[in-house]
Amino acid sequence: MKRKILFVFGTRPEAIKLAPLIKKFQENKSKYIVEICITSQHKSMLTQALKIFQITPNYNLKIMKKEQSLEYITGAIINKLSLVVKNSKPDMLIVQGDTTTTMASSLVSFYRQIKLAHIEAGLRSFDKYKPFPEEINRCISSRIADFNFAPTSVSQKNLRREGISKEKIFTVGNTVIDALLIISNQVQERDQYYFNFFRNKGITFNKKIILVTGHRRENFGKAFLQICKAIKRISKEDVEIVYPVHLNPNVQEPVNNILSNLPNVKLIDPLEYDKLVYLMNKTYLILTDSGGIQEEAPSLGKPVLVMRTVTERPEGVKAGCVKLVGTQQKGIERNVLELLKNESLYKQMSKRKNPYGNGHASDYIFDVIDNYYSK
Ligand code: UD1
Ligand code: UDP
């Protein structure tokens, strides 16, 4: 009997991290009917990711609004996804990560009593407001999931400590590394194309490049102002700062106000994943609050300074490639300047490490689910 698997996701990182697993199920057409439902919690940033991986959704809940509240996202998804699930009758829902799409979709699987697989399960900061609302989103998904796919032994232990039974936990690595390796191979073959793309955006590649990204809700307001002021000061060094600016108006506003028209700062639109991977490879260091980038950069041997006070990804910190620098202007400046000037520190932090897996997480996840249905 063929099983129907419904993938539900709504934002850029979920699409990137689920793409390799979707492909894996689609390759097994004789056993699985694969359906894809996007909530469109993100719109253009999600479309970019779908395009790169050539994924065509079956359902689109089209929920995105400017300045959308968490209550609105949650309610809209629960109402609209319930109808999709009622009609489609999948055997299993697969969700990823810790967005509000992930949490609300998990609740729908519970209300409709459908099996749930949660990819990237067990990340914890142990502070319910950092990241907000992701820490509680992921706890809810873990509690509901029948299959928790933990990326590392750290996340596996977090789940066990919360009383999730070991039969429901599988430590498999992070599918982001699968995605990174697939796209890195494609990028290597078209170096000149990407070089020209960035030259057309005014990026010279003649100086050390600092890649900046940021979007965390708990950094909105004061922390973002501090971050922007730090970037402004760092831009006085002999560097080229490239900042693909997240489309959230809470990010756009301070970034455009403080960082527009500075000679060493290039503010650009969010990049398609292949272009971001090319840029990461050319980058000297990365300044970010992104979760996904913290996981990707160690595999590329790029030091990451994380503009947060806690991280649910301690593996990169332990491996020595990632450092938490907080959200205060002075702390960010000091750490960036140190990495620009101190060669031995830079060497230490730029050793390639793979704390998040070997690029086969999707194969392992597929095997677990396939074994379950083959019994
Ligand atoms: C969301 C997730 C966060 C994840 C991040 C990845 C929640 C609550 N937040 O945060 O966990 O780390 O995505 O980037 O689930 N917008 C656009 N176009 C887009 C995308 C966003 O215009 O393609 C704007 C809209 O005005 C939207 C706003 O950004 O209202 C915020 O989007 P939202 O998904 O609520 O929050 P993010 O900060 O993107
Ligand atoms: N990313 C991208 N284009 C960009 C910035 C990031 O494709 O302009 C990718 C990045 O490589 C990573 C993912 O998007 O795979 C992370 O998304 P984001 O930082 O928005 O969310 P988080 O990981 O913090 O949830």
Side-chain angles (χ1 to χ4, degrees), residues 12-13 16 215-216 244 270-273 276 280 290-293 296:
R12 169 173 69 190
I16 292 169
H215 68 83
R216 294 254 82 91
L271 288 166
E272 287 175 346
Y273 187 52
L276 197 273
M280 279 199 286
S290 162
I293 293 180
E296 292 161 339

Side-chain angles (χ1 to χ4, degrees), residues 11 13 41-45 64-68 70 73 99-100 133-134 215-217 246-249:
T11 68
Q41 178 179 331
H42 281 177
K43 218 171 184 169
S44 57
M45 286 164 56
M64 199 195 89
K65 278 193 199 169
K66 212 169 174 228
E67 303 280 5
Q68 56 201 6
L70 298 174
I73 304 173
T99 70
T100 297
E134 290 84 358
H215 68 83
R216 294 254 82 91
R217 260 180 161 82
H246 194 288
L247 295 180
N248 195 320

Side-chain angles (χ1 to χ4, degrees), residues 295-307:
E295 293 154 347
E296 292 161 339
S299 293
L300 302 173
K302 300 295 172 182
V304 184
L305 299 179
V306 179
M307 301 181 290

Side-chain angles (χ1 to χ4, degrees), residues 327-372:
T327 55
Q328 292 296 312
Q329 180 183 352
K330 290 289 168 221
I332 298 170
E333 280 174 24
R334 186 170 16 86
N335 279 285
V336 171
L337 297 182
E338 202 181 358
L339 262 186
L340 286 172
K341 287 170 187 160
N342 183 339
E343 265 181 43
S344 75
L345 174 69
Y346 183 79
K347 263 195 192 146
Q348 238 173 291
M349 282 189 78
S350 54
K351 285 197 189 111
R352 250 174 229 265
K353 299 268 169 62
N354 289 315
Y356 298 104
N358 57 8
H360 289 287
S362 306
D363 297 333
Y364 304 144
I365 294 169
F366 176 82
D367 287 347
V368 169
I369 296 175
D370 195 43
N371 279 339
Y372 171 77

